[in-house]
Amino acid sequence: MTGMHPVAGILLFIATVAGMEAFAYGAHRWIMHGPGWFLHKSHHEPRTGNWELNDLYAAIFAVPSFVLLLGGVQLGWWPGFAWIGAGIAAYGAIYFGFHDIIVHKRLPHRYVARSRYMKRIVQAHRLHHAVQGKHGTVSFGFLVAPRAEKLKQQLKRYRAQTKAD
């Protein structure tokens, strides 16, 4: 990742990781719980094996990372693309660790969330799964989540609204 000052590259990398949280929120809320539900639905149902259709999203979102890394490192594109591609890949690794390993326990471990932050993330994701189906869910982020009390109030409003309809 030469041709760019390392500090600028690191800042671009950090900005990309942060920006990916916003992208992931939008993709989760308006794509996965919208037209992409046909893949994401498997994530809201009991898993019967090691894989679910929703895992295809990891492959889909890895493509831009791979292309940007390849272009920025090997193909002579702007070097910043490599830092952006690395930021996307880092977010994917963080997501895998938080979401798939810690929250959904797709790999065996003995980790127990003890910090306020980790408890908040785990609880927010569990509240996201408290609703059957794609409508009326809360908390679409992965690394940033509202307080559980706020999410519980949202769920209560959704349920009351559904009964009124």
Side-chain angles (χ1 to χ4, degrees):
M1 295 188 220
T2 60
M4 175 176 250
H5 193 279
V7 173
I10 291 168
L11 290 173
L12 190 55
F13 172 86
I14 292 168
T16 300
V17 172
M20 282 303 298
E21 176 66 6
F23 172 82
Y25 175 94
H28 188 194
R29 183 167 188 169
W30 292 295
I31 296 173
M32 294 177 185
H33 281 259
W37 180 251
F38 71 100
L39 292 177
H40 188 61
K41 179 181 179 187
S42 65
H43 183 63
H44 286 264
E45 297 172 338
R47 191 172 52 253
T48 57
N50 291 328
W51 303 99
E52 53 193 45
L53 269 177
N54 184 67
D55 293 333
L56 289 174
Y57 279 117
I60 292 166
F61 295 142
V63 170
S65 174
F66 176 79
V67 169
L68 290 168
L69 280 164
L70 181 67
V73 173
Q74 288 294 117
L75 301 179
W77 298 356
W78 177 58
F81 285 145
W83 290 98
I84 293 169
I88 295 169
Y91 183 85
I94 293 165
Y95 168 87
F96 179 74
F98 273 96
H99 181 264
D100 289 330
I101 296 176
I102 292 173
V103 176
H104 288 291
K105 300 179 181 178
R106 291 182 73 173
L107 295 176
H109 64 81
R110 294 182 185 192
Y111 174 81
V112 175
R114 288 191 169 80
S115 73
R116 287 190 318 182
Y117 171 74
M118 289 302 296
K119 287 178 181 178
R120 185 173 179 162
I121 295 299
V122 170
Q123 190 169 24
H125 198 74
R126 290 199 175 125
L127 289 169
H128 174 77
H129 283 271
V131 174
Q132 297 297 318
K134 68 180 183 176
H135 300 292
T137 53
V138 296
S139 188
F140 294 92
F142 296 109
L143 302 179
V144 177
R147 291 183 353 267
E149 296 78 26
K150 182 178 178 183
L151 295 173
K152 288 176 184 177
Q153 288 171 351
Q154 282 181 312
L155 282 170
K156 192 175 181 179
R157 279 195 308 273
Y158 290 145
R159 288 179 179 143
Q161 186 178 18
T162 304
K163 286 181 184 178
D165 292 342

